[in-house]
Amino acid sequence: INAEYMGEQLIGLSVVDNNTLVACGEDGTILISHDKGSTWSSRPSGKSSNLIGLTSMDSNTLIACGEEGTILVSTDKGQNWVAKDCGVASDINWVVGVNDHTAVACGQDGVLLVTTNKGATWTFKDSEVDAELWGLAVLQPC
């Protein structure tokens, strides 16, 4: 995928299934491909803030995150997006799926958020740091 599409920089990318890819970026940009990235179409996000992170929860559900506490959820492989209230106004820089129901997001000012219902609701957790968090990793037991 070109680093820029329609003038907007793309920041996040998620593989939904063998054919479907979803990308997000500046000014609420969301792009979707159903042919392994050969062609892309724009999808409305309903947001103008930058979208920074993106994760697939299962073969249908995706979560995007971004500036100003933005969290968006799609339950139809990225075709439609719904904004969710996460209770913070800080930038959310990263989101990662833990399993089909649980995801964790992190961001500015040590923000740490958890959902256990595919992004429908979010719970604030104290990260005990006052720093910009830019990534998370899911550790699996050996």
Side-chain angles (χ1 to χ4, degrees):
I1 187 170
N2 190 332
E4 292 193 17
Y5 181 84
M6 296 173 26
E8 305 299 339
Q9 181 178 1
L10 300 175
I11 303 168
L13 177 70
S14 187
V15 177
V16 180
D17 59 33
N18 289 338
N19 295 311
T20 308
L21 306 170
V22 177
C24 68
E26 287 182 329
D27 300 328
T29 298
I30 294 181
L31 303 177
I32 187 166
S33 172
H34 294 290
D35 56 10
K36 300 179 182 179
S38 294
T39 60
W40 293 84
S41 61
S42 179
R43 302 301 309 152
S45 69
K47 292 288 182 175
S48 59
S49 57
N50 293 338
L51 299 175
I52 303 168
L54 186 64
T55 193
S56 297
M57 297 294 295
D58 56 34
S59 61
N60 293 308
T61 307
L62 292 108
I63 299 173
C65 65
E67 295 177 342
E68 302 168 352
T70 298
I71 292 188
L72 303 174
V73 176
S74 171
T75 57
D76 57 5
K77 293 187 177 187
Q79 292 297 318
N80 298 289
W81 294 84
V82 176
K84 298 296 180 177
D85 182 10
C86 65
V88 301
S90 301
D91 294 352
I92 302 171
N93 300 324
W94 191 263
V95 61
V96 62
V98 176
N99 57 41
D100 285 353
H101 299 281
T102 304
V104 181
C106 67
Q108 190 177 33
D109 304 320
V111 164
L112 193 60
L113 302 165
V114 177
T115 180
T116 56
N117 53 13
K118 297 186 177 190
T121 58
W122 293 83
T123 303
F124 179 84
K125 300 291 183 181
D126 187 0
S127 68
E128 299 184 12
V129 298
D130 187 25
E132 187 109 10
L133 301 177
W134 280 97
L136 294 164
V138 178
L139 303 176
Q140 301 289 334
C142 298

